[in-house]
Amino acid sequence: MKQARFTRDRVSALSKPDLIDLVMELAARNALLQTRVDELEKQNRQLQEQNASLVQRVSDLERRLGLNSSNSGKPPSSDGLAKPAARERRTRSLRGKSGRKSGGQHGHKGTTLKQVATPDALVHHYPHQCTRCSATLSPEAATGFAVRQVFGLAPPPPLFITEHRAHTCLCRACGTLVRADFPETVKAPAQYSDEVAALAAYLQTQHCIPEDRLARIFSDLYKIRIAPATLASLIAKKADSLRIFADRVRELLSGVAVKHLDETGFRIAGKTRWLHMLCSTSLRA
């Protein structure tokens, strides 16, 4: 801090006009300083308001970035590639431990694999040597057997090809040649059967397998080389053939009092597509 400009003795020695001039000068300086203080206080308030606004905006942006299907009403498909690998459950069961062991309870009808009376193949196993004296044993020495069965999958069958022949007959009455019509579903010189189209539609629509992987499945399992574009065409035709059935189901669902509605999102070509579902347990076959 600077030393005072005037001491008490120096001020006492001033004349009245000089004192008046000094007071006026100090008053002018004080007014200038007060104006500067007011400006600084105004700037300070503006900065405080701006800072509060920015803090609120940052808080809102952080909250929006943290929203996902587990802490908001957003659908799971909106999580996209940022979907957390694991989330804490939103709700926890209020039920306590029952004291029972995990798994099927007593009296529960299970699905235990059971042996069948007529297996498809038999494999016989005979001991080759006596465990006591090391003598050689033959199948003729068998006195009984124990049974164990292994349930497996049969190898995929080879492609079953049906040839349709539309014969031409000569009318003996007038000499006209008449050829039989092919079935309505047989439209090309060589085509895939309806069973192939049904399996392709089931694997893609129910299990969401893309056409290129679906083509590999048919190639690996059935030795059928089908282009992905051909599979897409077969699936589309199968969907068109079920149009009447789907319309009838939708008509029946419109009259059901209690329905379940849901939607599932799919990421296709970087965009979210929606599959809407409407169902009811009252229409079970």
Side-chain angles (χ1 to χ4, degrees):
M1 179 180 294
K2 294 182 179 181
Q3 188 176 2
R5 182 179 177 183
F6 299 101
T7 63
R8 185 180 185 86
D9 294 337
R10 293 184 62 185
V11 172
S12 300
L14 294 175
S15 63
K16 183 175 181 180
D18 292 335
L19 288 174
I20 294 176
D21 292 340
L22 178 60
V23 171
M24 294 299 296
E25 180 183 354
L26 293 177
R29 290 183 179 183
N30 181 67
L32 182 62
L33 291 175
Q34 185 62 44
T35 301
R36 184 57 180 166
V37 169
D38 293 341
E39 292 177 355
L40 292 176
E41 290 180 348
K42 182 179 180 181
Q43 292 179 4
N44 182 57
R45 288 193 300 268
Q46 292 176 347
L47 290 175
Q48 288 181 349
E49 294 175 357
Q50 185 178 7
N51 180 66
S53 177
L54 291 175
V55 170
Q56 181 63 36
R57 184 176 180 182
V58 170
S59 178
D60 291 340
L61 291 176
E62 289 178 344
R63 181 186 61 81
R64 291 172 59 184
L65 288 175
L67 291 179
N68 53 49
S69 59
S70 66
N71 56 18
S72 69
K74 300 175 65 176
S77 58
S78 65
D79 295 338
L81 299 178
K83 184 175 183 179
R87 297 179 183 151
E88 185 179 355
R89 290 180 299 176
R90 298 171 66 181
T91 58
R92 296 182 180 275
S93 175
L94 299 179
R95 294 183 300 174
K97 294 184 178 181
S98 63
R100 301 177 182 177
K101 295 182 179 180
S102 60
Q105 303 300 318
H106 180 70
H108 171 70
K109 185 178 180 180
T111 56
T112 304
L113 197 63
K114 296 181 180 180
Q115 293 184 349
V116 298
T118 56
D120 297 305
L122 295 176
V123 180
H124 298 277
H125 305 276
Y126 298 95
H128 302 289
Q129 194 176 45
C130 178
T131 57
R132 181 177 180 182
C133 66
S134 300
T136 301
L137 300 175
S138 64
E140 291 75 14
T143 59
F145 58 85
V147 173
R148 292 182 181 179
Q149 293 182 347
V150 177
F151 289 69
L153 296 176
L159 197 61
F160 188 84
I161 303 175
T162 301
E163 181 176 285
H164 294 262
R165 297 180 178 180
H167 292 272
T168 301
C169 295
L170 176 63
C171 178
R172 295 183 179 181
C174 65
T176 302
L177 292 174
V178 181
R179 196 189 76 173
D181 295 327
F182 285 102
E184 185 179 354
T185 57
V186 181
K187 299 180 179 180
Q191 67 180 63
Y192 293 106
S193 68
D194 187 66
E195 291 79 12
V196 174
L199 180 59
Y202 169 71
L203 291 177
Q204 190 205 49
T205 58
Q206 180 66 21
H207 299 284
C208 303
I209 300 178
E211 282 90 355
D212 54 346
R213 291 174 55 191
L214 196 57
R216 292 177 57 187
I217 290 176
F218 277 98
S219 176
D220 295 341
L221 296 182
Y222 300 99
K223 309 304 178 185
I224 306 176
R225 299 184 63 181
I226 309 180
T230 302
L231 286 170
S233 177
L234 291 175
I235 294 170
K237 291 179 180 178
K238 177 57 63 177
D240 290 337
S241 67
L242 296 173
R243 184 72 60 187
I244 297 177
F245 170 77
D247 292 341
R248 178 55 180 162
V249 172
R250 181 173 58 183
E251 179 183 348
L252 293 174
L253 283 171
S254 64
V256 176
V258 179
K259 294 180 280 288
H260 173 71
L261 295 90
D262 199 1
E263 73 278 344
T264 300
F266 295 91
R267 300 290 291 181
I268 301 177
K271 297 182 178 180
T272 301
R273 305 294 183 181
W274 294 98
L275 174 64
H276 298 276
M277 181 185 67
L278 174 65
C279 62
S280 175
T281 56
S282 62
L283 297 179
R284 288 182 177 177

